[in-house]
Amino acid sequence: MLRTHTCGELRPAHINQTVTLAGWVQTIRNIGKVLWLDLRDRYGITQIVAEEGKTSDAIFAQMRSLGREFVVQVTGKVVERYSKNPELPTGDIEIAVEQFEILNASKTPPFKIQDDTDGGDDLRMEYRYLDLRRNIVRKNLELRHAVNRATRQYLDGLGFIDVETPVLIKSTPEGARDFVVPSRMNKGEFYALPQSPQTFKQILMVAGFDRYYQIVKCFRDEDLRADRQPEFTQIDCEMSFITQEDILNTFEGLVKFLFKEVKDVEIPTLPRMTYADAMRLYGSDKPDTRFDMQFVELKGQDRDLTSGKNFVVFDSAELVVGICAKGCSEYTRKQMDELTDWLKRPQIGAKGLIYVRYGQDGSLKSSVDKFYNEEDLKKWAEAMGAEKGDLMLIISGEAGKARKQLNELRLEMGTRLGLRDKNKFSCLWVVDFPMLEYSEDDNRWYAMHHPFTAPKPEDAHYLDTQEFGKIRANAYDMVINGVEVGGGSIRIFQRGLQEKALSVLGFSPEEAKSQFGFLMDAFEFGTPPHGGIAFGFDRLCSLFGGADSIRDFIAFPKNNAGRDMMIKSPSTIAQAQLDELGLKVNLK
Amino acid sequence: MLRTHTCGELRPAHINQTVTLAGWVQTIRNIGKVLWLDLRDRYGITQIVAEEGKTSDAIFAQMRSLGREFVVQVTGKVVERYSKNPELPTGDIEIAVEQFEILNASKTPPFKIQDDTDGGDDLRMEYRYLDLRRNIVRKNLELRHAVNRATRQYLDGLGFIDVETPVLIKSTPEGARDFVVPSRMNKGEFYALPQSPQTFKQILMVAGFDRYYQIVKCFRDEDLRADRQPEFTQIDCEMSFITQEDILNTFEGLVKFLFKEVKDVEIPTLPRMTYADAMRLYGSDKPDTRFDMQFVELKGQDRDLTSGKNFVVFDSAELVVGICAKGCSEYTRKQMDELTDWLKRPQIGAKGLIYVRYGQDGSLKSSVDKFYNEEDLKKWAEAMGAEKGDLMLIISGEAGKARKQLNELRLEMGTRLGLRDKNKFSCLWVVDFPMLEYSEDDNRWYAMHHPFTAPKPEDAHYLDTQEFGKIRANAYDMVINGVEVGGGSIRIFQRGLQEKALSVLGFSPEEAKSQFGFLMDAFEFGTPPHGGIAFGFDRLCSLFGGADSIRDFIAFPKNNAGRDMMIKSPSTIAQAQLDELGLKVNLK
């Protein structure tokens, strides 16, 4: 080794030992007769000191010539510091340099290697190797490794087997777009990169593997939204001879274990909420339950507190639904206008916002005073559990849209009220998802999870009566702080039912056979009841790290155009490569 | 859970408990009044018994209807067996069935689900889910998981960080052929799948990660020889601030740990052999050192025991080299002819084989008695350490070819003499590989490891004098039982030297910049000395499993045409997919 110790390990107990360290020059302070160098490596920072008279002139001169990020090797005696630095684990000591070598020089980095860097996103991406030197980014990847280790520890302990499934598989038209890989040995044919190992893990259950997991790269060729990556990592799991209850308990256990191991946080038993309740109470299948502020329907299935007062907007609405923002009655007119404008942006698309202020003095004032008197408003306040000092925010319209808009508003209010603390964690299961959802745009049914999700036995008869919208599935999502971190289902394990499900999704028998024939064939050779779950590993890590973006929890992420800015990829390839693959680029 | 216990866990201590098991029907024996069912799952086999009078008629009838591989659930009392089976861990007990349910039926499998299956390779590949049910195949994958776990345990313990590197990277023309992935968002451009994470792990060292590892899929679009797969797995590692010595010690430690943990085998300190010695003594850079039988040169650099006797074949040969096969002097003429024919096959291409029998009676008889008398042969025997009863096998010709041929013969003799026991392990390091090798075919120099391998400092000056063949690299392979299981090197970490190395390999400055510019740029920002190694994970597992082929240590391997026979991949894709990618299939 070119060092005897790392830059993070020396303590007063080492005083008088002669040690060798190697690392990067973080800073240099030179006051003429004395020079201090902060030497950095992955493990910490250690101060090196050179002093005129004590240090040789040659070394002193060499050290004066250093720049930031030079790589150097230093040998010297560990001495007690005159002025200690309690913020640094090595802050009690320094190294009095005796031998010194520059291992490699460095140009001046294009941005500062420190937590509050001055580098913009593009620059940090291009010089990712410098960005990764920053503590804050390195710690994210160390956290990722810790989550990976703890996941394996938990699953290994329960007898799960890590089995690698193939990366070169077969393209299927269902779901998101595949990345494809042309085959040279079978010209004109293509592999696809897996969007998930779904069918393979089911095949492993058919094969009797009983408990499988894998921390595995998956791929989706989607137009990238802010926080999506074309390649991402899943914790992928499957179990046999289980019910939904077993899966929920096993993976609730995983998440509790991860929080305890990685964050030292105790997570209480996860509440379970049906999809129907989640939509009704939060307008979302991934409610952020760090804060309450549940939806209250003023006009809906169970009550109507708004009709008959000549307010056409509510009278013509399918749903009038509100939330109560605690302590916000003093919001100014300007604030309300701004909030209304925010809701009207095309991303959200609300037509407007009705509000009622419940003053500290007990007064009730609304933006619809023309139609509703104080007694009406009192009823609303009662329904919504509003108290003096609160602000009621109400949206109306077609039920689905109104809920979606109010969900956005609820989250925004939660943020504004500081109710979404990144260091607080609220986990729950959302269960009983619909098996199928209808797309008006495409005029067809889609699988809400995927085509292999089993209907609840008590709802399966709706497949025959073609009431597809009524079928609930044994499908579940784990939601933490409003983020869907994992999802799964009990699977179909009978050929007949799988054929029926595929046919509802518009597969002809021929298409079903060509895409999933191997799986349905397998179902005929003794397939056990099985189910599973997959967690978004990047997302889980960013959640543990208290970050919004997954990008800094991935060592080498791609930008929103799918480009790796460091290696400059994708790129054109040689004509000879195309010829070998039997391909022609055909840009119109 | 649909079971209270697995099929591998019940013991006499459980007698009288009522349990529920679930699994597959392995066998059924029905002697009229009594029926025994062997129920199988991943964990073992448990005998179920039904008895007329004791078991309900309905269940008895149901059990009579079962076929092999049906999936069933059985509830009953654990009872002591009348006739115990000491070969089965559960052989002391059986389950007296009380409740019985068929969870899923099975068609008759196309081959037998047992160790000695009657299924051919093609059938086993197509029905991989049935093949994976066989104990022998499942155990291979369990072994793989064990090696994976132990590898992580060792490396985690030494502070290595598992960092995921990208799968969608950039195509480079050096080395084997890349698989490419067309980009839809950047039409006409392509990603490539990594042949190894080489440049990324070096970038991680530039980034200060210090110790990196990953168990990672890699890809090579090569024409598949018997035991190659287009996708394979590597244990990929890199360290900073190290010398070659540190790498060898660290990863010798890994392999010793794996052998101890997984096989309970103690491996002694690994001998180190230079590449030059390996070629001289074994004619191979991956010698099988489970047995001795080293090469002895009868005519070579240091001696000449053959010239001047008018034997033109030897006189005109650059090298005359032999091995001594212990106790083989009684090989018949027929056996010798057969061995000679084996050597003359085009795969080996020897011109012939000279042999000398050292009889038990002390006589020396050769196939070249016309030219060499007993005194000559005596000298050969002395040189080769031959004793009474031995057989000397001698090959001559151009040195490189003769060594290669004799290597094949040595391995064949080792096999015939039973010296290559799969349960014996002989590990060594081969070091000091040449940096570059010349290809007469292509009339250019190639990197023996890869373009990032550093020359030994004492040999670097040959780069300037253009004596490229003389440059030894700090490159090393780990060889176990004649198999290269891992290889690596100390890397170049200076821009200037890397540019020089690429230029020797025929890269123009523009090509070097476009392919590896990011790495050379990175070298200028404070790159530490670093080096690493990669192990072939599939190969390592098959070695631990005592198997020749890696295929049964991969859950879903592809055949020699690169096809997945189960999912029928690769396959054609829709025209719409091609259009979106801006591609045309162009079959001539």
Side-chain angles (χ1 to χ4, degrees):
Chain A
M1 302 291 294
L2 304 187
R3 63 189 173 207
T4 57
H5 297 77
T6 70
C7 294
E9 84 181 284
L10 295 174
R11 298 287 183 277
H14 296 92
I15 284 169
N16 279 327
Q17 285 185 27
T18 295
V19 300
T20 300
L21 302 185
W24 286 261
V25 173
Q26 177 78 14
T27 55
I28 294 180
R29 281 160 298 142
N30 186 353
I31 58 159
K33 293 189 170 179
V34 186
L35 181 152
W36 289 279
L37 185 168
D38 272 358
L39 191 65
R40 188 197 71 231
D41 67 11
R42 175 183 135 195
Y43 311 93
I45 284 182
T46 299
Q47 182 166 290
I48 314 295
V49 62
E51 207 170 329
E52 233 177 65
K54 289 188 181 170
T55 311
S56 82
D57 289 352
I59 290 182
F60 214 98
Q62 210 180 3
M63 289 179 76
R64 276 213 185 94
S65 76
L66 294 174
R68 278 198 286 139
E69 301 305 316
F70 272 52
V71 183
V72 302
Q73 185 188 39
V74 179
T75 300
K77 198 166 271 180
V78 183
V79 295
E80 188 172 1
R81 269 210 218 182
Y82 180 70
S83 125
K84 300 195 169 48
N85 180 350
E87 313 233 315
L88 221 54
T90 63
D92 288 341
I93 57 91
E94 60 190 3
I95 312 296
V97 58
E98 289 163 14
Q99 289 173 46
F100 191 86
E101 191 175 349
I102 297 175
L103 297 174
N104 213 341
S106 175
K107 298 205 289 195
T108 303
F111 53 85
K112 290 204 178 114
I113 313 291
Q114 53 198 43
D115 288 1
D116 52 335
T117 183
D118 51 352
D121 268 2
D122 285 356
L123 210 56
R124 289 175 47 210
M125 286 293 181
E126 185 177 348
Y127 295 91
R128 186 66 172 170
Y129 39 90
L130 297 179
D131 199 31
L132 287 169
R133 279 187 198 164
R134 298 194 303 130
N135 257 325
I136 208 169
V137 184
R138 194 197 64 241
K139 282 196 173 139
N140 289 343
L141 295 179
E142 287 173 345
L143 175 80
R144 186 180 175 109
H145 182 205
V147 179
N148 183 317
R149 281 175 69 173
T151 301
R152 292 176 183 280
Q153 189 188 337
Y154 179 83
L155 295 173
D156 288 346
L158 289 179
F160 282 77
I161 305 186
D162 177 359
V163 181
E164 292 171 61
T165 53
V167 176
L168 297 172
I169 65 164
K170 183 170 173 162
S171 190
T172 60
E174 184 70 13
R177 214 182 273 107
D178 286 325
F179 282 105
V180 297
V181 181
S183 166
R184 179 183 54 86
M185 287 208 274
N186 307 276
K187 282 193 192 41
E189 299 190 338
F190 295 77
Y191 302 100
L193 303 182
Q195 296 181 29
S196 94
Q198 183 61 35
T199 51
F200 286 96
K201 69 176 173 176
Q202 292 192 245
I203 285 287
L204 285 171
M205 294 305 106
V206 179
F209 272 68
D210 204 82
R211 296 180 166 207
Y212 144 90
Y213 82 98
Q214 197 183 181
I215 300 180
V216 61
K217 276 277 173 79
C218 300
F219 307 85
R220 263 178 222 167
D221 185 11
E222 287 178 335
D223 296 317
L224 300 175
R225 284 181 289 162
D227 208 29
R228 287 269 181 117
Q229 287 282 319
E231 53 179 296
F232 55 97
T233 304
Q234 266 184 205
I235 306 172
D236 193 50
C237 307
E238 197 81 2
M239 301 173 81
S240 289
F241 298 118
I242 42 74
T243 62
Q244 171 171 304
E245 193 61 27
D246 301 312
I247 305 251
L248 298 190
N249 289 336
T250 303
F251 293 98
E252 179 164 335
L254 169 63
V255 168
K256 282 181 177 175
F257 182 78
L258 293 180
F259 269 104
K260 185 69 196 151
E261 282 288 304
V262 178
K263 305 278 300 175
D264 198 24
V265 166
E266 302 273 358
I267 296 290
T269 301
L270 270 63
R272 299 184 189 175
M273 190 183 294
T274 63
Y275 172 86
D277 280 348
M279 296 310 288
R280 189 172 55 80
L281 297 172
Y282 299 95
S284 166
D285 59 1
K286 40 178 192 282
D288 184 344
T289 49
R290 276 175 297 186
F291 64 107
D292 204 11
M293 214 187 278
Q294 288 184 350
F295 290 11
V296 176
E297 299 182 0
L298 298 181
K299 173 186 174 184
Q301 277 202 313
D302 299 329
R303 73 157 75 92
D304 184 352
L305 302 176
T306 65
S307 295
K309 304 286 175 162
N310 299 318
F311 184 44
V312 176
V313 173
F314 280 4
D315 287 354
S316 65
E318 185 186 356
L319 183 73
V320 179
V321 60
I323 51 175
C324 174
K326 287 280 158 201
C328 294
S329 68
E330 302 300 308
Y331 263 40
T332 62
R333 177 63 192 252
K334 200 179 149 199
Q335 278 177 299
M336 292 313 305
D337 286 350
E338 184 253 327
L339 207 56
T340 308
D341 288 345
W342 182 87
L343 269 176
K344 283 180 170 173
R345 291 174 313 145
Q347 298 97 303
I348 300 183
K351 293 249 169 65
L353 172 66
I354 307 298
Y355 57 87
V356 185
R357 289 197 181 89
Y358 200 154
Q360 287 292 0
D361 58 1
S363 67
L364 283 154
K365 296 235 164 92
S366 81
S367 55
V368 285
D369 277 352
K370 239 192 280 183
F371 306 101
Y372 300 97
N373 59 29
E374 197 146 342
E375 201 178 328
D376 297 328
L377 300 180
K378 193 113 200 168
K379 282 183 196 153
W380 295 7
E382 260 166 45
M384 296 178 71
E387 297 169 315
K388 287 175 190 172
D390 292 352
L391 175 70
M392 291 172 260
L393 299 166
I394 301 162
I395 280 178
S396 63
E398 185 269 312
K401 282 185 188 159
R403 288 195 175 108
K404 229 174 143 180
Q405 292 156 6
L406 191 61
N407 167 50
E408 298 287 350
L409 180 61
R410 176 180 174 273
L411 294 176
E412 176 66 18
M413 291 308 295
T415 303
R416 291 186 184 203
L417 293 171
L419 301 173
R420 304 179 73 190
D421 180 355
K422 285 191 198 328
N423 294 310
K424 197 180 145 186
F425 298 95
S426 176
C427 314
L428 77 155
W429 289 109
V430 177
V431 298
D432 295 355
F433 274 78
M435 181 179 174
L436 299 158
E437 60 183 341
Y438 193 73
S439 160
E440 300 285 351
D441 290 350
D442 301 347
N443 194 25
R444 57 159 281 200
W445 291 92
Y446 281 96
M448 197 138 179
H449 271 66
H450 54 54
F452 314 106
T453 299
K456 279 184 179 285
E458 60 268 35
D459 289 357
H461 62 96
Y462 292 124
L463 272 172
D464 296 320
T465 60
Q466 309 227 341
E467 297 169 275
F468 302 134
K470 288 190 180 169
I471 309 172
R472 288 166 306 158
N474 275 324
Y476 31 81
D477 277 357
M478 186 185 286
V479 176
I480 306 182
N481 293 3
V483 174
E484 179 210 323
V485 297
S489 63
I490 301 299
R491 325 297 185 187
I492 295 170
F493 69 108
Q494 310 96 331
R495 182 177 193 123
L497 186 54
Q498 188 64 70
E499 281 173 345
K500 212 182 278 180
L502 288 173
S503 127
V504 172
L505 295 173
F507 284 78
S508 71
E510 295 68 36
E511 287 166 344
K513 188 176 148 63
S514 116
Q515 300 298 333
F516 303 115
F518 70 98
L519 185 64
M520 292 192 289
D521 288 348
F523 283 172
E524 293 192 285
F525 286 99
T527 297
H530 63 284
I533 195 166
F535 290 89
F537 187 61
D538 310 294
R539 174 65 57 205
L540 199 61
C541 292
S542 76
L543 195 85
F544 278 120
D548 288 321
S549 165
I550 61 172
R551 199 174 279 183
D552 274 342
F553 292 80
I554 295 173
F556 300 100
K558 292 181 178 59
N559 73 8
N560 284 352
R563 299 197 75 86
D564 184 321
M565 301 294 284
M566 182 182 75
I567 63 171
K568 312 277 191 290
S569 164
S571 60
T572 54
I573 58 174
Q575 187 59 45
Q577 279 175 286
L578 288 168
D579 291 345
E580 270 198 319
L581 296 168
L583 285 182
K584 239 182 172 157
V585 169
N586 181 35
L587 305 177
K588 276 157 208 160
Chain B
M1 302 290 295
L2 304 185
R3 64 189 174 206
T4 58
H5 296 76
T6 70
C7 293
E9 84 182 283
L10 294 174
R11 299 287 183 277
H14 297 92
I15 285 169
N16 280 327
Q17 285 184 26
T18 295
V19 300
T20 300
L21 303 185
W24 287 262
V25 173
Q26 177 79 13
T27 54
I28 293 179
R29 280 159 299 141
N30 185 353
I31 59 160
K33 293 190 172 177
V34 186
L35 180 152
W36 290 279
L37 185 168
D38 273 358
L39 190 65
R40 187 196 73 231
D41 66 11
R42 174 183 135 196
Y43 311 94
I45 285 182
T46 299
Q47 183 165 289
I48 314 295
V49 63
E51 208 170 329
E52 231 176 67
K54 290 189 181 170
T55 311
S56 82
D57 290 352
I59 290 181
F60 215 100
Q62 210 180 3
M63 289 180 75
R64 275 211 185 94
S65 77
L66 294 175
R68 279 197 285 137
E69 300 306 317
F70 273 50
V71 182
V72 302
Q73 184 188 40
V74 180
T75 299
K77 198 166 270 180
V78 183
V79 297
E80 188 172 2
R81 269 211 219 183
Y82 180 72
S83 125
K84 300 197 169 46
N85 180 350
E87 313 232 317
L88 221 53
T90 63
D92 288 341
I93 57 91
E94 60 192 4
I95 313 295
V97 58
E98 288 163 15
Q99 288 172 46
F100 191 86
E101 191 176 349
I102 296 176
L103 298 174
N104 213 342
S106 176
K107 298 204 289 196
T108 303
F111 53 85
K112 289 203 180 117
I113 314 291
Q114 53 197 40
D115 288 0
D116 52 335
T117 183
D118 52 352
D121 268 1
D122 285 355
L123 210 56
R124 289 175 48 211
M125 285 293 181
E126 186 177 346
Y127 296 91
R128 185 65 171 170
Y129 41 89
L130 297 178
D131 199 31
L132 286 168
R133 279 187 197 164
R134 298 194 302 129
N135 257 324
I136 207 170
V137 183
R138 196 198 62 242
K139 280 196 174 140
N140 290 343
L141 295 181
E142 288 174 345
L143 175 79
R144 186 180 176 109
H145 183 204
V147 178
N148 184 318
R149 281 175 68 174
T151 301
R152 291 176 184 280
Q153 190 187 339
Y154 178 83
L155 294 173
D156 288 345
L158 290 179
F160 282 78
I161 304 186
D162 177 357
V163 180
E164 292 173 60
T165 53
V167 176
L168 296 171
I169 65 164
K170 184 169 173 164
S171 188
T172 59
E174 184 71 13
R177 214 182 273 105
D178 286 324
F179 281 105
V180 297
V181 181
S183 166
R184 180 184 53 86
M185 287 209 274
N186 308 276
K187 283 194 191 38
E189 299 190 338
F190 295 78
Y191 302 99
L193 303 181
Q195 296 183 31
S196 95
Q198 182 61 35
T199 51
F200 286 97
K201 69 176 174 176
Q202 291 192 243
I203 285 286
L204 285 172
M205 293 305 107
V206 178
F209 272 68
D210 205 83
R211 296 178 165 209
Y212 143 92
Y213 81 99
Q214 197 181 184
I215 300 181
V216 60
K217 275 277 175 77
C218 300
F219 306 86
R220 264 179 221 166
D221 185 11
E222 288 178 333
D223 295 318
L224 300 175
R225 284 179 290 163
D227 209 27
R228 286 270 180 116
Q229 287 283 320
E231 54 179 297
F232 55 97
T233 304
Q234 265 183 207
I235 306 173
D236 194 50
C237 306
E238 197 82 1
M239 299 173 82
S240 289
F241 299 118
I242 42 73
T243 62
Q244 170 170 305
E245 192 62 28
D246 301 311
I247 306 251
L248 298 189
N249 289 335
T250 303
F251 292 97
E252 180 163 335
L254 170 63
V255 168
K256 282 181 176 176
F257 182 79
L258 294 180
F259 269 105
K260 184 69 195 153
E261 281 289 302
V262 178
K263 304 280 299 175
D264 198 24
V265 166
E266 302 273 358
I267 296 289
T269 300
L270 270 64
R272 298 183 189 178
M273 190 184 293
T274 63
Y275 173 86
D277 279 350
M279 295 310 289
R280 188 172 55 80
L281 296 173
Y282 298 96
S284 166
D285 60 1
K286 38 177 193 283
D288 185 346
T289 49
R290 275 175 298 187
F291 64 106
D292 204 12
M293 212 187 276
Q294 288 185 348
F295 289 12
V296 175
E297 298 183 1
L298 298 181
K299 173 185 173 185
Q301 277 203 313
D302 300 329
R303 71 157 77 92
D304 185 351
L305 302 177
T306 65
S307 295
K309 304 288 174 157
N310 299 320
F311 184 44
V312 176
V313 174
F314 281 3
D315 287 355
S316 65
E318 184 186 357
L319 182 73
V320 179
V321 59
I323 50 175
C324 174
K326 288 278 158 201
C328 294
S329 68
E330 302 300 310
Y331 264 39
T332 62
R333 176 63 190 250
K334 200 178 148 201
Q335 279 176 299
M336 291 313 305
D337 285 350
E338 183 254 327
L339 206 56
T340 308
D341 288 344
W342 182 87
L343 268 177
K344 284 181 170 171
R345 289 173 315 145
Q347 298 97 303
I348 300 183
K351 294 249 169 64
L353 172 66
I354 306 299
Y355 57 88
V356 185
R357 289 197 180 89
Y358 200 155
Q360 287 292 1
D361 57 1
S363 66
L364 282 154
K365 294 233 165 94
S366 82
S367 55
V368 284
D369 276 352
K370 238 192 280 180
F371 306 100
Y372 300 97
N373 60 28
E374 198 147 338
E375 201 178 326
D376 296 327
L377 300 180
K378 192 113 199 168
K379 283 185 196 150
W380 295 7
E382 260 167 42
M384 297 178 70
E387 297 170 313
K388 288 173 189 172
D390 293 352
L391 174 69
M392 291 172 261
L393 300 167
I394 300 161
I395 280 178
S396 64
E398 185 270 312
K401 282 184 188 161
R403 288 196 175 109
K404 228 173 143 179
Q405 292 157 6
L406 191 61
N407 167 50
E408 298 287 348
L409 181 60
R410 176 180 174 273
L411 294 175
E412 176 65 18
M413 290 308 296
T415 302
R416 291 185 185 204
L417 293 171
L419 302 173
R420 303 179 74 190
D421 180 355
K422 285 192 199 324
N423 294 311
K424 195 180 145 185
F425 298 96
S426 176
C427 315
L428 77 154
W429 288 109
V430 176
V431 297
D432 295 354
F433 274 79
M435 181 179 173
L436 298 158
E437 60 183 342
Y438 193 73
S439 160
E440 300 285 352
D441 290 351
D442 302 346
N443 194 26
R444 57 159 281 198
W445 290 93
Y446 281 97
M448 197 139 181
H449 270 68
H450 53 56
F452 313 107
T453 299
K456 277 181 181 286
E458 61 268 35
D459 289 358
H461 63 96
Y462 293 123
L463 272 172
D464 296 320
T465 59
Q466 308 227 342
E467 296 169 277
F468 301 134
K470 288 189 179 168
I471 310 174
R472 289 166 306 159
N474 275 325
Y476 32 81
D477 277 357
M478 187 185 284
V479 175
I480 305 181
N481 292 4
V483 174
E484 179 210 322
V485 296
S489 63
I490 301 300
R491 325 297 184 188
I492 295 170
F493 69 109
Q494 309 95 331
R495 181 175 194 124
L497 185 54
Q498 188 65 69
E499 281 173 345
K500 211 183 276 181
L502 288 173
S503 126
V504 172
L505 296 174
F507 284 78
S508 72
E510 295 70 35
E511 287 166 343
K513 187 175 151 60
S514 115
Q515 299 298 332
F516 303 115
F518 71 98
L519 186 63
M520 292 192 289
D521 288 347
F523 283 173
E524 293 193 284
F525 286 98
T527 297
H530 62 284
I533 195 166
F535 291 89
F537 187 61
D538 311 294
R539 175 65 59 207
L540 199 63
C541 292
S542 75
L543 196 85
F544 277 119
D548 289 321
S549 165
I550 61 171
R551 199 174 281 184
D552 274 343
F553 292 80
I554 295 173
F556 301 101
K558 293 182 176 58
N559 74 7
N560 284 352
R563 299 197 75 86
D564 183 320
M565 301 293 282
M566 181 182 76
I567 63 171
K568 312 275 190 292
S569 165
S571 60
T572 54
I573 58 175
Q575 187 59 45
Q577 279 176 287
L578 288 168
D579 291 344
E580 270 198 319
L581 297 169
L583 285 180
K584 238 182 172 160
V585 169
N586 181 35
L587 305 177
K588 276 157 208 162

